[in-house]
Amino acid sequence: MDDATRQQLILAAQEARARAYATYSDFTVGAALLTAEGRFVRGCNVENRSLGLTQCAERVAVGNAVVEGYRDFQALAIASRTGVTPCGACRQVLAEFCADLPILLVQEEPVPETREVSLRLLLPDRFGTDGP
Ligand code: THU
């Protein structure tokens, strides 16, 4: 991923975050997947008054990508106030489509900063039916 694409991916996650529906937690999250074809597919968290029905930004992005015909991904950016890592459930959902994936964690506070991790680092020894 070149520098310009990285910046576009970060911007896409930040734009998605601006659309988050986080009325209960007030913690907005935006995600953007870069597909193998070079497209950006976004997701944001969508909360619900029945709190357990809340959807995370990352899983919304994966669903949006799949329905648009994209299943191969080059990278993911996640934008939030504090630069959180994806939750365990989202890690497993991402692992359905890629053994590894660079993940940019975009934070706003205390200073705007982006940290890079990987899916393999966040979810070692993932569940799979092909055995250990
Ligand atoms: N959230 C995400 O969107 N992605 C994550 O990986 C962690 C949590 C959302 C869910 C909820 O709307 C809010 O952040 C606070 O937990």
Side-chain angles (χ1 to χ4, degrees):
M1 187 176 32
D2 60 31
D3 266 6
T5 307
R6 184 186 155 94
Q7 280 316 310
Q8 280 180 289
L9 186 63
I10 290 171
L11 190 64
Q14 289 171 326
E15 285 170 356
R17 183 180 166 216
R19 298 205 176 129
Y21 179 72
T23 191
Y24 301 101
S25 72
D26 201 30
F27 191 80
T28 55
V29 184
L33 282 163
L34 175 63
T35 72
E37 298 82 358
R39 302 293 300 271
F40 299 98
V41 182
R42 295 156 218 239
C44 64
N45 53 336
V46 183
E47 297 191 345
N48 188 272
R49 69 184 66 225
S50 175
L51 299 176
L53 296 181
T54 288
Q55 298 176 80
C56 290
E58 298 89 327
R59 271 178 284 168
V60 170
V62 169
N64 284 341
V66 171
V67 77
E68 293 299 329
Y70 303 114
R71 295 180 182 177
D72 297 317
F73 308 116
Q74 294 184 51
L76 168 70
I78 305 167
S80 67
R81 184 169 54 79
T82 53
V84 291
T85 57
C87 78
C90 287
R91 294 176 198 196
Q92 185 65 40
V93 168
L94 289 163
E96 183 71 19
F97 297 98
C98 27
D100 201 7
L101 186 73
I103 302 178
L104 306 176
L105 304 172
V106 186
Q107 75 175 45
E108 185 179 76
E109 287 174 12
V111 284
E113 206 170 73
T114 298
R115 181 162 75 96
E116 184 168 336
V117 294
S118 72
L119 185 59
R120 201 186 285 280
L121 179 85
L122 295 179
L123 189 69
D125 205 11
R126 70 202 171 106
F127 169 74
T129 51
D130 49 351

